[in-house]
Amino acid sequence: MPLPLPARRRRPWLLAPWYAALLPLLLPALLRRRGGIGVGATFNFEGLDSDYYRRSALRPELDWHWGEAFRGIAVHNQPLTSLLGELLGAHNYTLPRLALGRGLAYLGGAARLRRVVRHLLSRQSPPRSVKIGLIGGSISWGQAVRWRGEADWFSTLSRYMLAAFPAANITTRNGCTPGVPANYMILCLEQSVDPDVELVFVEFTVNNGHDPNNALYGNTVVLDMERLVRRILQLPGRPAVVLMHVPTQGMAQYPPGHPKNPKNELHRPYYQTTEDALTAVHSYYDVQSLSLRNALYGLAVEQREGFKWEQAFVDHHPGNQGHKMMADLAVYLLQATALQLVGHLPYGREDAEAVAAALPEPMYPGNVAPNTSMCLLGERFRELVVPESTAGFAYINEGTAEKPKPGYVANTTGAVLRLRLNTDRAGLAGPQRPAGGAKTPDADKQPVQIFFHHLRSYEHMGVAAFSCVAGCACAPTEVDGHHGEKVSQLYMVVLEVSQAPACDIEIKVLDRTSSGEHKFKVSGAVIAERAGRDAWWNNALMGAKKEAVFGIREHNGDVLQITYTKAGKVGGNDAWA
């Protein structure tokens, strides 16, 4: 059912005069207390408001809603407004209606999405529980918005869903991890989404960058995203997947020579993005796609007030206004799907068969993803322990129930922790396998990198030796858990291990110490997806070093992932952009 023309906008909510007067005085202090967003200025022209929060703030005068547009429409003699009143009335749009239509980049058959919306609409008793997840980078994490957990697009969508589907028990979870591309999430997906999640939004367009050869076929970004999409689709809940695309770095900018780009800052034209190449993934796996580029580009180029690049973006990160537009696209997709289900195309056997069907063979032969998490933390890490060969280490949570920091801890010399890991990479995709899936010579002889998480601190810490003791081979490595900085942090140390289905690695606390004590803590491991030296892990996470800080705070217990339920919001107040 096509969505009708909008009604006039509602009257915007106004700040009390005394609060509005105090706000400019309070914000600088708040920013110093909370921390700035830490992004460089992309826009630099005469007359530009240097307060990026103010220039990218919401524009309530642009808001519109459906109003009376659906009045008089009935389905099986029931007014549509009584069937979908909350769903259609719980959101004010900023993007114009035609822009919303352009932003629905791929809809397809949408069997899995139709299933989850059907569940959301269900009025069964007891209420149905539905989990919605989000993975992505710093944009969807909430960088450049005020405030994270309130103004970011997924928080806006979460509040909308709770209001629009009151009969469902909805839990939304923002599992985004700033600064990492899709190939990290291929390994560590379960650290960001629940196994029974029913709908996962994915936003990695900026973080994935571009294929170094600008290849149309065998594009590395497409290869990575195909494996990530397969990983998500294979979760136990058989979730729907929606890709949220945003303009790549330099696209939300005016071209060189434009009065608003006097210093010729980086500018990318409309076509310089991988989202078009990813259309093959959308259609092959029937996963839906939303595009802020498609929706906003024309409005920004024509300099329409409220939709200019500098009003929607801070740099390559959208500000509050840009995030509101992203939320608009997600809401519009859910509303359009609900109207289709209720209006003229109910969920049926064909949908159910599509949801239950096995995944097709990879679009690129051989481009398979791991069938389980390679990010072995918490209970997954405990499963690696060989108890009969372990002594002196105990599994302890040194954090809190809200922010757990579990791991195996020893305090005496001679303590031994033995772990058994599968480092066999036969059959998995990687740079050693061309797009056709054929194996290059000696692929199975290349080592596999294992990144162990261990604690470093300024007190109590000792030294441990990491070595391969059965089934595989590696160069022994000694790790000192003591450092001079007055901080306790998780670090990663990398071992290059030969491939084996059962590789035993031993961690032994040594007599040597630089702190006077012998505590050593190991909290997890990540096994590289590909054999050989993984350039991304070495350069992005390790800095080409043997040991480096594990800085993904959403996965190491430092930062709570934001969740919304009927009981309210959890998280969002412990990390600021």
Side-chain angles (χ1 to χ4, degrees):
M1 177 182 293
L3 296 176
L5 292 173
R8 294 178 62 188
R9 63 181 180 271
R10 289 176 180 153
R11 182 181 178 182
W13 178 78
L14 299 175
L15 285 172
W18 64 269
Y19 188 78
L22 285 175
L23 200 57
L25 302 176
L26 293 172
L27 287 180
L30 287 172
L31 279 176
R32 286 193 296 271
R33 183 179 175 185
R34 305 290 195 184
I37 64 171
V39 292
T42 296
F43 304 104
N44 190 350
F45 57 86
E46 187 175 351
L48 176 72
D49 188 343
S50 60
D51 186 333
Y52 35 72
Y53 286 128
R54 184 167 55 213
R55 65 173 161 82
S56 62
L58 296 181
R59 303 290 294 270
E61 71 274 14
L62 299 173
D63 285 358
W64 61 270
H65 62 100
W66 294 119
E68 301 296 313
F70 294 95
R71 186 74 61 187
I73 300 175
V75 177
H76 299 300
N77 297 320
Q78 296 187 67
L80 190 62
T81 51
S82 68
L83 295 171
L84 298 177
E86 296 98 339
L87 178 132
L88 297 171
H91 184 75
N92 285 349
Y93 285 103
T94 295
L95 282 170
R97 184 181 60 84
L98 292 181
L100 290 170
R102 295 188 186 105
L104 292 187
Y106 181 83
L107 186 57
R112 292 194 183 202
L113 180 63
R114 285 162 50 80
R115 181 188 68 156
V116 68
V117 174
R118 177 171 174 255
H119 290 168
L120 290 167
L121 291 169
S122 172
R123 297 184 180 274
Q124 72 177 43
S125 182
R128 187 180 188 98
S129 295
V130 180
K131 294 181 179 179
I132 314 295
L134 167 67
I135 56 176
S138 59
I139 289 176
S140 292
W141 181 86
Q143 184 88 349
V145 300
R146 179 183 290 154
W147 299 103
R148 176 176 174 262
E150 299 292 337
D152 60 274
W153 75 268
F154 194 65
S155 293
T156 301
L157 175 66
S158 298
R159 293 192 299 273
Y160 164 76
M161 295 182 72
L162 289 167
F165 304 104
N169 276 337
I170 297 171
T171 300
T172 69
R173 176 181 176 184
N174 185 332
C176 290
T177 50
V180 299
N183 51 10
Y184 171 80
M185 201 58 71
I186 292 171
L187 304 182
C188 299
L189 177 66
E190 286 80 359
Q191 301 302 314
S192 284
V193 299
D194 297 302
D196 54 347
V197 67
E198 292 195 42
L199 170 59
V200 180
F201 289 90
V202 180
E203 178 269 305
F204 277 114
T205 312
V206 171
N207 289 49
N208 283 339
H210 299 265
D211 179 86
N213 299 314
N214 290 322
L216 179 59
Y217 310 126
N219 184 293
T220 56
V221 174
V222 175
L223 288 165
D224 287 344
M225 287 299 292
E226 180 183 23
R227 296 199 306 284
L228 177 58
V229 166
R230 291 182 68 89
R231 281 276 280 125
I232 302 169
L233 292 173
Q234 289 174 316
L235 289 173
R238 292 183 171 269
V241 176
V242 177
L243 273 61
M244 172 69 81
H245 295 295
V246 296
T248 54
Q249 190 164 1
M251 187 174 291
Q253 175 60 282
Y254 300 95
H258 191 282
K260 290 187 175 181
N261 190 5
K263 295 188 176 182
N264 296 333
E265 301 275 0
L266 173 67
H267 169 261
R268 294 188 190 275
Y270 186 88
Y271 62 84
Q272 284 191 4
T273 173
T274 56
E275 69 175 86
D276 296 320
L278 284 167
T279 300
V281 175
H282 305 153
S283 57
Y284 189 80
Y285 293 100
D286 196 22
V287 298
Q288 287 57 65
S289 169
L290 302 172
S291 173
L292 183 61
R293 178 201 66 169
N294 293 7
L296 180 60
Y297 193 90
L299 299 170
V301 169
E302 73 178 42
Q303 297 279 283
R304 187 179 297 190
E305 185 60 31
F307 301 95
K308 301 172 184 178
W309 288 130
E310 68 272 19
Q311 294 172 331
F313 283 77
V314 168
D315 52 6
H316 61 278
H317 295 87
N320 285 22
Q321 179 78 332
H323 272 263
K324 175 59 168 55
M325 297 174 193
M326 295 168 72
D328 284 352
L329 295 175
V331 170
Y332 188 71
L333 175 64
L334 295 178
Q335 289 184 348
T337 304
L339 285 167
Q340 184 191 68
L341 286 167
V342 173
H344 63 91
L345 193 60
Y347 188 88
R349 186 176 67 180
E350 188 176 3
D351 293 295
E353 290 174 350
V355 170
L359 287 186
E361 290 297 310
M363 181 174 66
Y364 282 97
N367 194 37
V368 295
N371 59 8
T372 186
S373 177
M374 299 288 100
C375 203
L376 305 169
L377 307 174
E379 289 302 314
R380 292 186 180 89
F381 188 58
R382 297 184 73 176
E383 294 169 1
L384 304 178
V385 174
V386 182
E388 61 271 20
S389 301
T390 294
F393 275 86
Y395 191 76
I396 299 172
N397 177 15
E398 296 187 312
T400 64
E402 187 179 57
K403 290 186 176 182
K405 295 186 177 182
Y408 280 92
V409 179
N411 290 287
T412 57
T413 60
V416 173
L417 176 67
R418 182 175 289 198
L419 307 168
R420 183 165 294 156
L421 303 93
N422 182 354
T423 60
D424 186 6
R425 287 296 170 268
L428 287 183
Q432 73 275 11
R433 299 178 189 275
K439 191 186 300 182
T440 56
D442 298 327
D444 293 337
K445 297 180 181 179
Q446 295 188 54
V448 173
Q449 292 182 314
I450 304 176
F451 302 84
F452 285 99
H453 299 181
H454 69 93
L455 181 68
R456 291 188 73 181
S457 184
Y458 57 94
E459 57 183 356
H460 308 308
M461 305 304 293
V463 180
F466 289 68
S467 60
C468 296
V469 294
C472 56
C474 64
T477 299
E478 289 189 6
V479 176
D480 191 345
H482 177 74
H483 63 186
E485 296 179 62
K486 296 291 185 179
V487 64
S488 298
Q489 286 182 296
L490 280 182
Y491 273 66
M492 293 186 300
V493 60
V494 59
L495 268 63
E496 295 190 353
V497 179
S498 63
Q499 295 191 45
C503 170
D504 282 16
I505 294 176
E506 187 175 273
I507 303 164
K508 184 176 182 178
V509 181
L510 304 179
D511 293 333
R512 184 163 59 87
T513 177
S514 56
S515 73
E517 298 181 59
H518 297 282
K519 176 180 177 179
F520 202 85
K521 179 178 181 179
V522 187
S523 61
V526 178
I527 309 176
E529 179 191 10
R530 304 158 172 156
R533 180 164 292 181
D534 191 306
W536 180 80
W537 277 92
N538 275 284
N539 296 331
L541 282 187
M542 299 295 292
K545 296 180 290 187
K546 191 73 175 178
E547 190 178 11
V549 174
F550 180 61
I552 301 177
R553 298 180 298 164
E554 294 70 26
H555 288 178
N556 69 14
D558 285 345
V559 173
L560 285 175
Q561 296 178 17
I562 299 170
T563 59
Y564 271 88
T565 64
K566 288 181 178 179
K569 181 191 74 169
V570 175
N573 301 320
D574 56 354
W576 302 93

